[in-house]
Amino acid sequence: MRITTAVIPLAAAISMLAIQTAAAQKAAPSANPATPAATPAPPPPAPATSACANPNALGVSRVVAINTTGGPGFGFEHFKQLDFLRDKEVVLTFDDGPWPVNTPAVIKALDEECTKAIFFPIGKHATWHPEILKSVAAHGHTIGSHTWSHANLNNKKLTDDQRKAEIEKGISAVKWALGYSPAPFIRFPALQHPPSMVTYMGERNIAMWSCDVDSFDFKARNARKIVETVMNKLDKTGKGIILMHDFQKHTGEALPELLKRLKAGGYKVVEVKAKTKLESIAQYDEEVVKGLKQPVVNSRPLSSVVETISQ
């Protein structure tokens, strides 16, 4: 495997961003508490399968590693400075999971095409279904965060401290569910980017993800509509970061056909990783644990609980 490194300049106020690209075989799976130091990311969990059983799979065309220093933004819907995708390249992204049935359906479709995505889970959902989020990681996908409760951070009733708590508690919840910190990637709910939180993400060295192609799967009445929406938009843009939701039933239903259409259309999937891991903040780690519904241990002796009345 030949590895190349490309350096892309940012605006003067943001640090330089290095994007490393690694060619991958097409069908292979391949107290200010706000500034904890970045440390090297641990290796991701091994995918469930080491070889692709589908010789005609969409696969992964290349892998990029993002240096999140300074909080770079991606997706032309909101951020115009960085465009690392080549013509006919896409990044698959999924918001709002993990969720029973729907998230496993998305994972299955991705596995069948031996390709990878970025998942942005809601913190609450992660605490409700940690086993599903662990499965996402075990299949080799990148996991970021999507706040604690999916609150609109542009809501004027929220203070900046409350916005930060939404972000940080979401990160801590994903960390609790996985057993380790997520990638320093975030997508703001409803793609609402308050300027103060954009600045805060820069301080925290967390990359922000908008999109180039919105599937509007949450509005679609059926799977066919999702496929048509994505492909029609891609035919105009020629490439892009695709926004979908593994929370939505129709998305899992649409994904097998969508991936086949991407392959037929000559599109290639880029897998995205982070160069460093994200350090959560202890205060919010503790809040997540305190809020979990832990089983109550009954200390009564057996004889006071169970009595034989007939034998």
Side-chain angles (χ1 to χ4, degrees), residues 254-291:
L255 200 55
E257 177 63 21
L258 176 59
L259 297 177
K260 290 177 183 176
R261 289 278 297 274
L262 289 173
K263 169 79 172 177
Y267 291 97
K268 300 176 180 180
V269 174
V270 174
E271 181 179 359
V272 181
K273 300 177 180 289
K275 292 189 70 174
T276 57
K277 73 175 183 179
L278 175 61
E279 295 292 341
S280 64
I281 296 176
Q283 170 191 343
Y284 300 100
D285 292 344
E286 294 168 3
E287 285 187 18
V288 168
V289 173
K290 286 179 181 178

mmCIF file of all heavy atoms in Angstrom, residues 254-291:
data_model
loop_
_atom_site.group_PDB
_atom_site.id
_atom_site.type_symbol
_atom_site.label_atom_id
_atom_site.label_comp_id
_atom_site.label_asym_id
_atom_site.label_seq_id
_atom_site.Cartn_x
_atom_site.Cartn_y
_atom_site.Cartn_z
ATOM 1 N N ALA A 254 -33.334 1.643 2.023
ATOM 2 C CA ALA A 254 -32.837 2.265 0.790
ATOM 3 C C ALA A 254 -31.367 1.975 0.524
ATOM 4 O O ALA A 254 -30.929 1.989 -0.638
ATOM 5 C CB ALA A 254 -33.047 3.782 0.855
ATOM 6 N N LEU A 255 -30.611 1.714 1.569
ATOM 7 C CA LEU A 255 -29.163 1.680 1.442
ATOM 8 C C LEU A 255 -28.633 0.623 0.458
ATOM 9 O O LEU A 255 -27.727 0.931 -0.331
ATOM 10 C CB LEU A 255 -28.514 1.513 2.817
ATOM 11 C CG LEU A 255 -27.041 1.927 2.908
ATOM 12 C CD1 LEU A 255 -26.828 3.351 2.442
ATOM 13 C CD2 LEU A 255 -26.534 1.760 4.331
ATOM 14 N N PRO A 256 -29.143 -0.615 0.446
ATOM 15 C CA PRO A 256 -28.610 -1.584 -0.531
ATOM 16 C C PRO A 256 -28.711 -1.080 -1.970
ATOM 17 O O PRO A 256 -27.749 -1.179 -2.732
ATOM 18 C CB PRO A 256 -29.482 -2.826 -0.292
ATOM 19 C CG PRO A 256 -29.890 -2.716 1.139
ATOM 20 C CD PRO A 256 -30.119 -1.244 1.362
ATOM 21 N N GLU A 257 -29.868 -0.528 -2.333
ATOM 22 C CA GLU A 257 -30.036 -0.021 -3.698
ATOM 23 C C GLU A 257 -29.189 1.220 -3.931
ATOM 24 O O GLU A 257 -28.586 1.385 -5.011
ATOM 25 C CB GLU A 257 -31.507 0.304 -3.958
ATOM 26 C CG GLU A 257 -31.784 0.904 -5.335
ATOM 27 C CD GLU A 257 -31.436 -0.037 -6.486
ATOM 28 O OE1 GLU A 257 -31.364 -1.270 -6.272
ATOM 29 O OE2 GLU A 257 -31.237 0.474 -7.606
ATOM 30 N N LEU A 258 -29.090 2.088 -2.935
ATOM 31 C CA LEU A 258 -28.286 3.302 -3.085
ATOM 32 C C LEU A 258 -26.822 2.961 -3.323
ATOM 33 O O LEU A 258 -26.166 3.541 -4.209
ATOM 34 C CB LEU A 258 -28.426 4.182 -1.844
ATOM 35 C CG LEU A 258 -27.563 5.454 -1.828
ATOM 36 C CD1 LEU A 258 -27.873 6.346 -3.018
ATOM 37 C CD2 LEU A 258 -27.749 6.214 -0.515
ATOM 38 N N LEU A 259 -26.302 2.019 -2.576
ATOM 39 C CA LEU A 259 -24.899 1.634 -2.747
ATOM 40 C C LEU A 259 -24.657 1.019 -4.122
ATOM 41 O O LEU A 259 -23.615 1.262 -4.748
ATOM 42 C CB LEU A 259 -24.481 0.667 -1.634
ATOM 43 C CG LEU A 259 -24.522 1.236 -0.201
ATOM 44 C CD1 LEU A 259 -24.156 0.166 0.811
ATOM 45 C CD2 LEU A 259 -23.624 2.448 -0.049
ATOM 46 N N LYS A 260 -25.608 0.242 -4.610
ATOM 47 C CA LYS A 260 -25.480 -0.314 -5.960
ATOM 48 C C LYS A 260 -25.504 0.787 -7.017
ATOM 49 O O LYS A 260 -24.755 0.742 -8.004
ATOM 50 C CB LYS A 260 -26.599 -1.318 -6.208
ATOM 51 C CG LYS A 260 -26.474 -2.601 -5.402
ATOM 52 C CD LYS A 260 -27.648 -3.525 -5.635
ATOM 53 C CE LYS A 260 -27.541 -4.779 -4.762
ATOM 54 N NZ LYS A 260 -28.733 -5.656 -4.921
ATOM 55 N N ARG A 261 -26.358 1.797 -6.789
ATOM 56 C CA ARG A 261 -26.440 2.908 -7.737
ATOM 57 C C ARG A 261 -25.159 3.743 -7.722
ATOM 58 O O ARG A 261 -24.706 4.227 -8.768
ATOM 59 C CB ARG A 261 -27.643 3.792 -7.398
ATOM 60 C CG ARG A 261 -28.997 3.160 -7.692
ATOM 61 C CD ARG A 261 -29.385 3.296 -9.152
ATOM 62 N NE ARG A 261 -29.534 4.687 -9.560
ATOM 63 C CZ ARG A 261 -30.667 5.397 -9.411
ATOM 64 N NH1 ARG A 261 -31.744 4.824 -8.864
ATOM 65 N NH2 ARG A 261 -30.724 6.648 -9.806
ATOM 66 N N LEU A 262 -24.577 3.904 -6.549
ATOM 67 C CA LEU A 262 -23.301 4.624 -6.464
ATOM 68 C C LEU A 262 -22.229 3.884 -7.263
ATOM 69 O O LEU A 262 -21.474 4.496 -8.035
ATOM 70 C CB LEU A 262 -22.863 4.758 -4.999
ATOM 71 C CG LEU A 262 -23.663 5.721 -4.126
ATOM 72 C CD1 LEU A 262 -23.203 5.613 -2.672
ATOM 73 C CD2 LEU A 262 -23.520 7.155 -4.613
ATOM 74 N N LYS A 263 -22.173 2.584 -7.083
ATOM 75 C CA LYS A 263 -21.205 1.760 -7.813
ATOM 76 C C LYS A 263 -21.430 1.870 -9.326
ATOM 77 O O LYS A 263 -20.488 2.095 -10.100
ATOM 78 C CB LYS A 263 -21.332 0.314 -7.356
ATOM 79 C CG LYS A 263 -20.584 -0.710 -8.190
ATOM 80 C CD LYS A 263 -19.125 -0.757 -7.873
ATOM 81 C CE LYS A 263 -18.474 -1.931 -8.582
ATOM 82 N NZ LYS A 263 -17.017 -1.974 -8.363
ATOM 83 N N ALA A 264 -22.684 1.731 -9.746
ATOM 84 C CA ALA A 264 -23.007 1.788 -11.170
ATOM 85 C C ALA A 264 -22.699 3.163 -11.764
ATOM 86 O O ALA A 264 -22.356 3.279 -12.944
ATOM 87 C CB ALA A 264 -24.476 1.441 -11.388
ATOM 88 N N GLY A 265 -22.816 4.198 -10.933
ATOM 89 C CA GLY A 265 -22.559 5.552 -11.398
ATOM 90 C C GLY A 265 -21.095 5.951 -11.379
ATOM 91 O O GLY A 265 -20.759 7.099 -11.695
ATOM 92 N N GLY A 266 -20.231 5.030 -10.974
ATOM 93 C CA GLY A 266 -18.805 5.321 -10.955
ATOM 94 C C GLY A 266 -18.330 6.076 -9.729
ATOM 95 O O GLY A 266 -17.204 6.580 -9.696
ATOM 96 N N TYR A 267 -19.173 6.134 -8.696
ATOM 97 C CA TYR A 267 -18.781 6.830 -7.470
ATOM 98 C C TYR A 267 -17.935 5.922 -6.581
ATOM 99 O O TYR A 267 -18.092 4.693 -6.602
ATOM 100 C CB TYR A 267 -20.017 7.311 -6.704
ATOM 101 C CG TYR A 267 -20.740 8.426 -7.412
ATOM 102 C CD1 TYR A 267 -21.842 8.155 -8.215
ATOM 103 C CD2 TYR A 267 -20.306 9.739 -7.294
ATOM 104 C CE1 TYR A 267 -22.501 9.172 -8.885
ATOM 105 C CE2 TYR A 267 -20.959 10.763 -7.962
ATOM 106 C CZ TYR A 267 -22.056 10.470 -8.752
ATOM 107 O OH TYR A 267 -22.706 11.482 -9.419
ATOM 108 N N LYS A 268 -17.053 6.525 -5.807
ATOM 109 C CA LYS A 268 -16.153 5.793 -4.924
ATOM 110 C C LYS A 268 -16.274 6.339 -3.509
ATOM 111 O O LYS A 268 -16.415 7.543 -3.311
ATOM 112 C CB LYS A 268 -14.705 5.926 -5.413
ATOM 113 C CG LYS A 268 -14.489 5.377 -6.824
ATOM 114 C CD LYS A 268 -13.065 5.614 -7.292
ATOM 115 C CE LYS A 268 -12.865 5.064 -8.699
ATOM 116 N NZ LYS A 268 -11.480 5.288 -9.180
ATOM 117 N N VAL A 269 -16.193 5.448 -2.546
ATOM 118 C CA VAL A 269 -16.332 5.834 -1.136
ATOM 119 C C VAL A 269 -14.970 6.106 -0.522
ATOM 120 O O VAL A 269 -14.035 5.315 -0.672
ATOM 121 C CB VAL A 269 -17.056 4.739 -0.332
ATOM 122 C CG1 VAL A 269 -17.057 5.083 1.160
ATOM 123 C CG2 VAL A 269 -18.479 4.571 -0.839
ATOM 124 N N VAL A 270 -14.876 7.227 0.176
ATOM 125 C CA VAL A 270 -13.677 7.573 0.940
ATOM 126 C C VAL A 270 -13.959 7.297 2.416
ATOM 127 O O VAL A 270 -14.955 7.773 2.964
ATOM 128 C CB VAL A 270 -13.293 9.052 0.739
ATOM 129 C CG1 VAL A 270 -12.127 9.435 1.659
ATOM 130 C CG2 VAL A 270 -12.934 9.311 -0.717
ATOM 131 N N GLU A 271 -13.105 6.505 3.039
ATOM 132 C CA GLU A 271 -13.220 6.250 4.472
ATOM 133 C C GLU A 271 -12.459 7.333 5.221
ATOM 134 O O GLU A 271 -11.357 7.709 4.835
ATOM 135 C CB GLU A 271 -12.643 4.878 4.809
ATOM 136 C CG GLU A 271 -12.753 4.513 6.281
ATOM 137 C CD GLU A 271 -12.192 3.141 6.597
ATOM 138 O OE1 GLU A 271 -11.726 2.454 5.660
ATOM 139 O OE2 GLU A 271 -12.211 2.754 7.779
ATOM 140 N N VAL A 272 -13.051 7.840 6.310
ATOM 141 C CA VAL A 272 -12.466 8.955 7.051
ATOM 142 C C VAL A 272 -12.139 8.531 8.473
ATOM 143 O O VAL A 272 -12.977 7.976 9.182
ATOM 144 C CB VAL A 272 -13.416 10.167 7.079
ATOM 145 C CG1 VAL A 272 -12.780 11.328 7.843
ATOM 146 C CG2 VAL A 272 -13.787 10.601 5.661
ATOM 147 N N LYS A 273 -10.909 8.806 8.892
ATOM 148 C CA LYS A 273 -10.463 8.552 10.257
ATOM 149 C C LYS A 273 -9.874 9.836 10.839
ATOM 150 O O LYS A 273 -9.638 10.797 10.101
ATOM 151 C CB LYS A 273 -9.410 7.444 10.283
ATOM 152 C CG LYS A 273 -9.885 6.090 9.739
ATOM 153 C CD LYS A 273 -8.742 5.071 9.739
ATOM 154 C CE LYS A 273 -9.205 3.724 9.211
ATOM 155 N NZ LYS A 273 -10.110 3.061 10.165
ATOM 156 N N ALA A 274 -9.623 9.829 12.133
ATOM 157 C CA ALA A 274 -8.987 10.974 12.798
ATOM 158 C C ALA A 274 -7.561 10.621 13.183
ATOM 159 O O ALA A 274 -7.263 9.472 13.527
ATOM 160 C CB ALA A 274 -9.773 11.377 14.043
ATOM 161 N N LYS A 275 -6.672 11.601 13.125
ATOM 162 C CA LYS A 275 -5.274 11.364 13.496
ATOM 163 C C LYS A 275 -5.090 11.276 15.003
ATOM 164 O O LYS A 275 -4.131 10.668 15.480
ATOM 165 C CB LYS A 275 -4.388 12.475 12.933
ATOM 166 C CG LYS A 275 -4.265 12.465 11.406
ATOM 167 C CD LYS A 275 -3.223 13.447 10.920
ATOM 168 C CE LYS A 275 -1.825 12.970 11.286
ATOM 169 N NZ LYS A 275 -0.783 13.863 10.692
ATOM 170 N N THR A 276 -5.998 11.910 15.766
ATOM 171 C CA THR A 276 -5.894 11.884 17.229
ATOM 172 C C THR A 276 -7.248 11.542 17.820
ATOM 173 O O THR A 276 -8.282 11.697 17.172
ATOM 174 C CB THR A 276 -5.438 13.244 17.789
ATOM 175 O OG1 THR A 276 -6.357 14.259 17.366
ATOM 176 C CG2 THR A 276 -4.038 13.585 17.326
ATOM 177 N N LYS A 277 -7.246 11.080 19.051
ATOM 178 C CA LYS A 277 -8.514 10.795 19.719
ATOM 179 C C LYS A 277 -8.962 12.023 20.503
ATOM 180 O O LYS A 277 -8.196 12.958 20.737
ATOM 181 C CB LYS A 277 -8.381 9.591 20.639
ATOM 182 C CG LYS A 277 -7.601 9.836 21.916
ATOM 183 C CD LYS A 277 -7.637 8.601 22.813
ATOM 184 C CE LYS A 277 -6.913 8.864 24.131
ATOM 185 N NZ LYS A 277 -6.958 7.687 25.026
ATOM 186 N N LEU A 278 -10.210 12.004 20.895
ATOM 187 C CA LEU A 278 -10.803 13.115 21.640
ATOM 188 C C LEU A 278 -10.802 12.798 23.127
ATOM 189 O O LEU A 278 -11.233 11.716 23.532
ATOM 190 C CB LEU A 278 -12.228 13.336 21.143
ATOM 191 C CG LEU A 278 -13.064 14.380 21.872
ATOM 192 C CD1 LEU A 278 -12.423 15.759 21.781
ATOM 193 C CD2 LEU A 278 -14.473 14.406 21.287
ATOM 194 N N GLU A 279 -10.313 13.733 23.916
ATOM 195 C CA GLU A 279 -10.355 13.574 25.367
ATOM 196 C C GLU A 279 -11.656 14.166 25.905
ATOM 197 O O GLU A 279 -11.944 15.344 25.688
ATOM 198 C CB GLU A 279 -9.154 14.279 26.017
ATOM 199 C CG GLU A 279 -7.805 13.673 25.648
ATOM 200 C CD GLU A 279 -7.603 12.289 26.228
ATOM 201 O OE1 GLU A 279 -8.318 11.939 27.182
ATOM 202 O OE2 GLU A 279 -6.736 11.561 25.727
ATOM 203 N N SER A 280 -12.454 13.348 26.555
ATOM 204 C CA SER A 280 -13.682 13.851 27.174
ATOM 205 C C SER A 280 -13.343 14.624 28.440
ATOM 206 O O SER A 280 -12.199 14.604 28.917
ATOM 207 C CB SER A 280 -14.632 12.694 27.485
ATOM 208 O OG SER A 280 -14.032 11.837 28.451
ATOM 209 N N ILE A 281 -14.343 15.302 29.001
ATOM 210 C CA ILE A 281 -14.160 16.089 30.219
ATOM 211 C C ILE A 281 -14.789 15.345 31.394
ATOM 212 O O ILE A 281 -15.944 14.906 31.323
ATOM 213 C CB ILE A 281 -14.783 17.491 30.052
ATOM 214 C CG1 ILE A 281 -14.026 18.251 28.951
ATOM 215 C CG2 ILE A 281 -14.756 18.268 31.356
ATOM 216 C CD1 ILE A 281 -14.603 19.609 28.616
ATOM 217 N N ALA A 282 -14.025 15.182 32.448
ATOM 218 C CA ALA A 282 -14.421 14.333 33.580
ATOM 219 C C ALA A 282 -15.777 14.706 34.156
ATOM 220 O O ALA A 282 -16.578 13.832 34.516
ATOM 221 C CB ALA A 282 -13.354 14.390 34.667
ATOM 222 N N GLN A 283 -16.062 15.990 34.235
ATOM 223 C CA GLN A 283 -17.342 16.451 34.797
ATOM 224 C C GLN A 283 -18.528 15.809 34.076
ATOM 225 O O GLN A 283 -19.497 15.364 34.703
ATOM 226 C CB GLN A 283 -17.425 17.968 34.695
ATOM 227 C CG GLN A 283 -18.802 18.546 35.013
ATOM 228 C CD GLN A 283 -18.918 20.019 34.644
ATOM 229 O OE1 GLN A 283 -17.904 20.696 34.451
ATOM 230 N NE2 GLN A 283 -20.132 20.523 34.544
ATOM 231 N N TYR A 284 -18.441 15.749 32.765
ATOM 232 C CA TYR A 284 -19.551 15.217 31.973
ATOM 233 C C TYR A 284 -19.542 13.694 31.940
ATOM 234 O O TYR A 284 -20.614 13.063 31.856
ATOM 235 C CB TYR A 284 -19.512 15.820 30.570
ATOM 236 C CG TYR A 284 -19.646 17.326 30.621
ATOM 237 C CD1 TYR A 284 -18.524 18.146 30.508
ATOM 238 C CD2 TYR A 284 -20.884 17.920 30.838
ATOM 239 C CE1 TYR A 284 -18.642 19.525 30.584
ATOM 240 C CE2 TYR A 284 -21.008 19.299 30.923
ATOM 241 C CZ TYR A 284 -19.880 20.101 30.799
ATOM 242 O OH TYR A 284 -20.009 21.464 30.895
ATOM 243 N N ASP A 285 -18.355 13.104 32.053
ATOM 244 C CA ASP A 285 -18.290 11.651 32.216
ATOM 245 C C ASP A 285 -19.077 11.240 33.460
ATOM 246 O O ASP A 285 -19.854 10.283 33.442
ATOM 247 C CB ASP A 285 -16.840 11.180 32.372
ATOM 248 C CG ASP A 285 -16.017 11.340 31.107
ATOM 249 O OD1 ASP A 285 -16.607 11.529 30.021
ATOM 250 O OD2 ASP A 285 -14.777 11.262 31.208
ATOM 251 N N GLU A 286 -18.880 11.988 34.534
ATOM 252 C CA GLU A 286 -19.551 11.686 35.802
ATOM 253 C C GLU A 286 -21.055 11.914 35.697
ATOM 254 O O GLU A 286 -21.857 11.131 36.235
ATOM 255 C CB GLU A 286 -18.957 12.551 36.916
ATOM 256 C CG GLU A 286 -17.498 12.217 37.228
ATOM 257 C CD GLU A 286 -16.830 13.254 38.119
ATOM 258 O OE1 GLU A 286 -17.537 14.212 38.539
ATOM 259 O OE2 GLU A 286 -15.626 13.116 38.399
ATOM 260 N N GLU A 287 -21.461 12.970 34.994
ATOM 261 C CA GLU A 287 -22.894 13.254 34.836
ATOM 262 C C GLU A 287 -23.601 12.131 34.088
ATOM 263 O O GLU A 287 -24.729 11.756 34.422
ATOM 264 C CB GLU A 287 -23.093 14.582 34.097
ATOM 265 C CG GLU A 287 -22.825 15.805 34.950
ATOM 266 C CD GLU A 287 -23.208 17.098 34.234
ATOM 267 O OE1 GLU A 287 -23.984 17.032 33.247
ATOM 268 O OE2 GLU A 287 -22.748 18.165 34.652
ATOM 269 N N VAL A 288 -22.942 11.610 33.058
ATOM 270 C CA VAL A 288 -23.542 10.515 32.285
ATOM 271 C C VAL A 288 -23.736 9.294 33.169
ATOM 272 O O VAL A 288 -24.812 8.689 33.193
ATOM 273 C CB VAL A 288 -22.672 10.171 31.062
ATOM 274 C CG1 VAL A 288 -23.124 8.850 30.442
ATOM 275 C CG2 VAL A 288 -22.726 11.281 30.036
ATOM 276 N N VAL A 289 -22.706 8.920 33.918
ATOM 277 C CA VAL A 289 -22.793 7.738 34.772
ATOM 278 C C VAL A 289 -23.865 7.904 35.845
ATOM 279 O O VAL A 289 -24.647 6.983 36.114
ATOM 280 C CB VAL A 289 -21.417 7.435 35.413
ATOM 281 C CG1 VAL A 289 -21.550 6.316 36.436
ATOM 282 C CG2 VAL A 289 -20.401 7.066 34.345
ATOM 283 N N LYS A 290 -23.944 9.094 36.435
ATOM 284 C CA LYS A 290 -24.948 9.339 37.484
ATOM 285 C C LYS A 290 -26.361 9.247 36.927
ATOM 286 O O LYS A 290 -27.295 8.857 37.644
ATOM 287 C CB LYS A 290 -24.718 10.723 38.107
ATOM 288 C CG LYS A 290 -23.512 10.810 39.021
ATOM 289 C CD LYS A 290 -23.361 12.219 39.576
ATOM 290 C CE LYS A 290 -22.135 12.314 40.473
ATOM 291 N NZ LYS A 290 -21.949 13.714 40.987
ATOM 292 N N GLY A 291 -26.523 9.605 35.686
ATOM 293 C CA GLY A 291 -27.860 9.607 35.097
ATOM 294 C C GLY A 291 -28.332 8.269 34.588
ATOM 295 O O GLY A 291 -29.503 8.112 34.228
#
